[in-house]
Amino acid sequence: MQPSHRYIRLTAIALGVAGVISFGSASATGFQIRENSVKNQGRAFAGSAVAEKDASVVSNNPAAMVNLDTTTVRVDVTAIDLTAKFSGGGTAAAGSPLARPLTGGNGGDPGDITAVPAMSIVVPLSGSFEKLTLGAQLSAPFGLKTEYENGWVGRYNALESEVKTIDLTLSAAVKLTDRFSVGAGFIYERAEATLTNAVDFGSAICRVSPAACLTPNPVAAPFGPQKNDGTVKVKGDDNGIGWILGFQWKPTDRLSIGYSHRSEIDHDLEGTVTFTKPGNVSALLGAAGITQYNTGPGGAKLTTPSTDTLSVSYAFNEQFRMMFDAQKTDWHSLQSVNIVRANGTPVASEQFQWDDSMMYALGAEYDLNDRFTLRGGVAKDETPTNDTHRTPRLPDNDRTLYSVGLTWNANEHISVDAAYTRIQIDSPDVNVVSTSGSTLVGKFKGHADLFGIAAQYKF
């Protein structure tokens, strides 16, 4: 019996740590968040690596910091509202004589309004260092929060998922000529994660002790599928270091071309797995001397993806500009999550098999006058997931973004930006087996709304 108990617990840890790093972000495919500039958002994120008059370039392309000629401070906040609905069902104890339909509702709306902040400062130097510009930004490049209703049909796959990442980016840019600049940045990233899901202890006990489920009969037996639910909670955190490089080239007064590369960031997540068990399950395990379901440490290595961004901006005249972005995200860094004990002993592996993805964006700006600028854009964002390995923690698929935005220049020092983005998500299918041995089959339908507001001050 011991090996079966060990397998159940360790794969629960694998699901936990894997889920911590992979649940879906409403604002971008995978678990990526691009909302560090409301100006960029208003253009559907086109032109991010050549942005003018925007301090957010600190972490989008440090070479473009030379576009600012005075010390500039910027604060952005975007509210992300994900709406999703699941339809489908499944089977508990799939493949066993005790298999039965999963009970529970559709989980409700797992999304909640989440605020994503960013703060930036750009400081052009003078005198002997007049060609040098420094910058710093605090931002949240990955993560979001989703929470399903307790007792929903997919409870063995997901209940609550929360990821918080905070990046401190320190950058410098050098203007080599009037038309060409280069930049580099150092990234310090803090990651914290919490995940919960239900555990079907009844099915687990049936697999290792069939008599407890079959006598005197399956209906009256004290244990069985969906009779003895508990929960598992995984918490983990880590710090990582990365870098960013970029250049900006202006071959003419009207044309700007920018490129940036953000590196992968390695994390060694360390955390605790906490099991909550029904009283009769605790009594049975205690009497048998089984400790595999007790709280204990677990960990996994995670590499967040690198990104490559190419931006082009063209000014047709003094009032009207168009921008284009092509961004590649190297999600191949997330092929699997391998769980190890504190002493380094390997225990389980969860497969993801993600592919690299592309995002294409086209945007435009029009200056109504010296006070107001209108902008808009559309983008296509490919998902890294696939039908074989998709789970309720990441009910992700290809997305289309539609954005509008506005800037109000209150005076020569203060400007205020606002933007709205509608994200349409192609309906993803789910067909997955949980660590409790249940199978969930269904479809998600959803969309997201992004509301951004920002203020910038130029000294």
Side-chain angles (χ1 to χ4, degrees):
M1 292 191 300
Q2 196 79 353
S4 296
H5 281 293
R6 180 177 181 272
Y7 173 79
I8 294 164
R9 175 179 182 256
L10 296 181
T11 53
I13 295 175
L15 172 65
V17 178
V20 160
I21 63 169
S22 66
F23 79 91
S25 162
S27 57
T29 52
F31 53 95
Q32 188 176 12
I33 296 177
R34 296 189 178 97
E35 285 70 27
N36 63 5
S37 169
V38 172
K39 280 187 177 181
N40 287 341
Q41 181 190 333
R43 301 186 297 260
F45 307 103
S48 60
V50 290
E52 301 278 350
K53 303 176 183 178
D54 187 348
S56 70
V57 291
V58 170
S59 61
N60 293 331
N61 181 12
M65 292 192 301
V66 301
N67 297 338
L68 296 164
D69 57 7
T70 186
T71 297
T72 304
V73 177
R74 182 176 182 84
V75 177
D76 294 80
V77 178
T78 301
I80 302 175
D81 185 12
L82 170 65
T83 300
K85 183 178 181 180
F86 174 79
S87 60
T91 305
S96 80
L98 295 171
R100 62 191 62 178
L102 287 172
T103 61
N106 66 3
D109 183 359
D112 198 3
I113 297 178
T114 303
V116 178
M119 294 179 288
S120 312
I121 181 171
V122 172
V123 182
L125 302 185
S126 58
S128 301
F129 300 97
E130 64 179 356
K131 295 185 180 297
L132 179 64
T133 302
L134 303 179
Q137 184 182 75
L138 283 171
S139 60
F142 301 106
L144 199 59
K145 180 176 181 179
T146 58
E147 186 172 2
Y148 293 93
E149 295 175 353
N150 290 329
W152 82 291
V153 69
R155 60 193 177 277
Y156 303 125
N157 298 93
L159 285 174
E160 179 183 0
S161 303
E162 184 173 12
V163 173
K164 298 176 182 178
T165 62
I166 299 177
D167 277 19
L168 171 62
T169 304
L170 304 175
S171 296
V174 178
K175 194 171 186 179
L176 299 180
T177 71
D178 289 341
R179 296 194 179 276
F180 190 81
S181 61
V182 295
F186 166 86
I187 304 169
Y188 178 83
E189 184 172 270
R190 171 69 176 175
E192 300 178 357
T194 301
L195 170 115
T196 68
N197 60 266
V199 179
D200 187 353
F201 285 107
S203 289
I205 290 173
C206 289
R207 288 197 291 272
V208 297
S209 181
C213 303
L214 297 174
T215 58
N217 62 68
V219 176
F223 298 98
Q226 304 183 90
K227 288 185 177 182
N228 313 93
D229 282 4
T231 60
V232 59
K233 180 178 182 179
V234 178
K235 296 191 70 172
D237 57 69
D238 187 51
N239 302 317
I241 293 174
W243 49 269
I244 184 171
L245 293 174
F247 72 82
Q248 180 182 254
W249 178 40
K250 296 185 175 183
T252 71
D253 290 341
R254 295 188 175 188
L255 177 63
S256 297
I257 301 171
Y259 168 80
S260 68
H261 174 83
R262 174 192 164 103
S263 74
E264 296 179 343
I265 297 181
D266 294 324
H267 287 283
D268 193 352
L269 295 177
E270 296 181 355
T272 302
V273 182
T274 303
F275 284 96
T276 302
K277 304 178 286 290
N280 58 353
V281 171
S282 295
L284 184 151
L285 298 178
I290 298 171
T291 61
Q292 280 82 0
Y293 298 105
N294 294 343
T295 296
K301 293 185 182 298
L302 162 70
T303 299
T304 57
S306 65
T307 57
D308 291 272
T309 305
L310 175 66
S311 296
V312 178
S313 175
Y314 186 80
F316 290 86
N317 52 49
E318 293 184 359
Q319 292 178 290
F320 181 65
R321 300 166 294 279
M322 291 193 71
M323 300 85 172
F324 171 79
D325 260 30
Q327 183 178 87
K328 179 184 178 183
T329 304
D330 291 334
W331 289 114
H332 65 259
S333 63
L334 190 59
Q335 293 298 296
S336 64
V337 176
N338 301 309
I339 313 303
V340 298
R341 292 184 183 275
N343 63 6
T345 303
V347 294
S349 177
E350 288 290 324
Q351 297 299 310
F352 288 87
Q353 304 301 320
W354 281 10
D355 296 321
D356 296 346
S357 64
M358 293 293 299
M359 188 275 288
Y360 303 97
L362 183 65
E365 292 182 337
Y366 182 77
D367 298 327
L368 293 175
N369 49 49
D370 292 340
R371 294 283 187 175
F372 293 97
T373 298
L374 294 177
R375 56 181 58 91
V378 61
K380 296 290 291 186
D381 198 4
E382 299 176 348
T383 182
T385 64
N386 54 74
D387 292 342
T388 303
H389 298 97
R390 185 180 293 115
T391 78
R393 296 206 181 277
L394 187 58
D396 188 35
N397 212 340
D398 296 342
R399 306 175 180 211
T400 304
L401 290 71
Y402 305 94
S403 296
V404 292
L406 172 71
T407 291
W408 171 46
N409 297 304
N411 53 49
E412 61 179 334
H413 298 289
I414 299 174
S415 62
V416 177
D417 306 301
Y420 167 74
T421 301
R422 175 74 171 196
I423 301 178
Q424 295 296 136
I425 306 171
D426 292 352
S427 298
D429 294 319
V430 173
N431 189 340
V432 63
V433 178
S434 75
T435 58
S436 291
S438 63
T439 299
L440 183 69
V441 180
K443 181 184 291 287
F444 281 87
K445 289 186 178 181
H447 65 270
D449 297 291
L450 281 57
F451 305 89
I453 188 74
Q456 183 166 278
Y457 186 84
K458 298 178 64 176
F459 289 87

